[in-house]
Amino acid sequence: MNAFNTIIGYESIKQELVQIADTLKNREVYEALGASSPRGLMLYGKPGVGKTTMADALIKESRRKSFVCRKAKGGDSFIDDIVETFKKAEKDAPSLVLLDDLDKFANEDNGHRDAEEYVTVQACIDDLRGKEVFVLATVNNTSKLPRSLLRHGRFDRQIEVPTPNRADSEAIIRHYLEKKKLGVELDISLVAAMMRGQSCATLETVVNEAGLLAGYQRADRITQDHIVEACLSCVFRVPSNCIRDGQMIDCSTTSQESQVVWHEAGHAVVRDILNEGSVALVSARCQKGQTSGFVIPGFDEDSSPFEELRKSVLVDLAGKAALDIQFGLFDLGSSNDLDVAYNHVHTLVKDLAYSGFYYFQKPFGCDSDHIAESRETIVATLMEEYYRKTRTILMGNREYLEKLAGELAKKGVLVSSDIARIRSGCTIVPFAV
């Protein structure tokens, strides 16, 4: 079996690893052309995205003896371990050295970029010049490393391993569900959308937790409800009692719980009006005074970052606008939304010259006080304009807002299929940003 088959998704990265493995196995082919294998490869990205799985696959396919170095102790003892690992690899060349979690070799702050551990690694790599030892490293955060260690000639190849995209998420989830007993209604695309931006390790954990929930309930199959509950608990830290025993909320009152329902319904409706099908899940749960509310967006469509930024401002302001429209109340829970919206508008004006180059941030921050004050005035004016637009969206689609809030109050959680069903029963007034 090809070791690279253990990597689910990530086809472009897999192909690059295959090519690197070929240079290590068949170096004479490349030497005949006057080319040599890369000296090192660094796989970097957030924890849990599969860097070590990829490294293990490359090691197996390289057919080289490997020597692993990871930090298990500190001080001079660890530095001695680093040196000894490279010496063993040199002795048994052609070979491979894996530096696992290289950015943890020294204390995790930018002030330790020149720590002795990194200096030692760098010296050991340089001592291997002209020898058949390939150096492979996994790194969570490259900013912790000295720039000299990152340059070509030490790590000739550097591959970012991002969190999985839509297709990769679906493939990974499908892989983890292969040996599970599933309900027929399970929607893989919805599950992937709910966990957009999560690591492979998180996807695996949620799928397993869903199985544990099903087992505890003595269910015959893992259903979509089990997946949703596991996602809410593992990813969004919603308390279990709030998920399982949540009370139905009376959304006709102005109680705190009702306000959460309308706030989240406002976010969901505006997001869905601006981009149909873009809401994976909306939640408003209440249990013994604990209220949890949020909207999980689905995977982004192929729209420009500029357009998405403008849409985001409208969505950010929708919770406040929904409560204003429904009850005439000032939303005390919207302060964080307002901060985010303000930062987005500030980016439009200061960094993207949305309101003209006069307000654009000058190089090296050399704006006059007058320009800085004028920019703040423009930002505040745009915030007012965007808020009016958000109210227009909700007022034009009030039927949709009311029906979605009503069902959210009853069920506590609505997924994309619920939202699509509610939308299909309403007259929708579109809005162009």
Side-chain angles (χ1 to χ4, degrees), residues 116-400:
E116 189 174 355
E117 291 85 349
Y118 296 139
V119 173
T120 302
V121 169
Q122 189 167 294
C124 287
I125 291 174
D126 290 347
D127 287 343
L128 295 175
R129 190 175 299 277
K131 296 165 184 172
E132 286 296 322
V133 179
F134 184 78
V135 182
L136 175 60
T138 63
V139 175
N140 294 326
N141 188 347
T142 56
S143 70
K144 308 295 184 187
L145 303 175
R147 291 182 181 178
S148 57
L149 188 57
L150 298 171
R151 71 165 174 81
H152 290 290
R154 294 189 174 121
F155 288 99
D156 296 325
R157 299 282 185 94
Q158 296 177 26
I159 301 176
E160 180 180 8
V161 185
T163 54
N165 59 24
R166 182 201 298 264
D168 289 343
S169 290
E170 292 182 7
I172 292 165
I173 292 166
R174 192 172 289 109
H175 169 74
Y176 289 136
L177 289 171
E178 276 181 357
K179 297 182 180 179
K180 305 288 194 299
K181 294 178 68 175
L182 305 177
V184 294
E185 81 284 6
L186 194 63
D187 183 348
I188 298 293
S189 62
L190 168 63
V191 178
M194 283 193 305
M195 291 187 279
R196 183 191 70 153
Q198 301 300 320
S199 70
C200 308
T202 300
L203 299 182
E204 181 180 12
T205 297
V206 168
V207 169
N208 189 64
E209 284 294 322
L212 295 177
L213 287 170
Y216 182 70
Q217 296 171 10
R218 301 300 188 265
D220 294 331
R221 296 283 188 274
I222 299 172
T223 67
Q224 193 155 285
D225 287 342
H226 293 130
I227 296 282
V228 170
E229 183 172 340
C231 181
L232 291 175
S233 177
C234 296
V235 179
F236 299 98
R237 306 301 182 189
V238 178
S240 296
N241 65 325
C242 202
I243 298 173
R244 298 172 188 172
D245 306 315
Q247 301 166 344
M248 188 172 74
I249 299 170
D250 182 358
C251 65
S252 65
T253 70
T254 59
S255 66
Q256 179 183 352
E257 295 78 15
S258 175
Q259 289 185 41
V260 170
V261 168
W262 286 99
H263 178 105
E264 302 304 336
H267 283 311
V269 166
V270 171
R271 181 177 290 280
D272 193 58
I273 292 296
L274 295 175
N275 192 355
E276 184 177 357
S278 62
V279 179
L281 180 148
V282 54
S283 172
R285 293 282 193 172
C286 172
Q287 173 64 18
K288 297 180 180 179
Q290 289 182 304
T291 304
S292 172
F294 51 86
V295 172
I296 305 175
F299 285 94
D300 295 331
E301 298 300 323
D302 294 328
S303 54
S304 70
F306 176 71
E307 183 182 351
E308 285 303 315
L309 195 61
R310 295 172 65 204
K311 287 180 179 179
S312 294
V313 178
L314 297 172
V315 175
D316 294 335
L317 298 173
K320 172 180 171 59
L323 277 182
D324 188 8
I325 290 170
Q326 185 63 24
F327 298 121
L329 291 176
F330 184 83
D331 186 2
L332 296 176
S334 65
S335 60
N336 185 62
D337 292 337
L338 296 178
D339 287 343
V340 174
Y342 175 86
N343 288 334
H344 284 157
V345 174
H346 210 264
T347 297
L348 287 170
V349 173
K350 178 174 71 73
D351 299 332
L352 301 178
Y354 179 68
S355 297
F357 288 107
Y358 181 77
Y359 304 105
F360 181 72
Q361 176 73 59
K362 307 301 185 296
F364 311 112
C366 57
D367 289 334
S368 67
D369 291 342
H370 175 70
I371 290 177
E373 291 173 5
S374 298
R375 183 187 296 126
E376 293 305 311
T377 301
I378 288 293
V379 169
T381 301
L382 284 174
M383 284 283 286
E384 294 284 357
E385 178 185 334
Y386 275 107
Y387 185 67
R388 287 194 296 271
K389 289 180 178 180
T390 300
R391 281 182 55 90
T392 298
I393 295 171
L394 290 176
M395 290 294 292
N397 293 279
R398 189 154 186 175
E399 177 192 17
Y400 185 19

Side-chain angles (χ1 to χ4, degrees), residues 413-432:
V413 172
L414 300 175
V415 296
S416 55
S417 55
D418 298 319
I419 295 168
R421 173 180 49 77
I422 296 168
R423 177 180 174 129
S424 66
C426 300
T427 302
I428 299 299
V429 178
F431 186 89

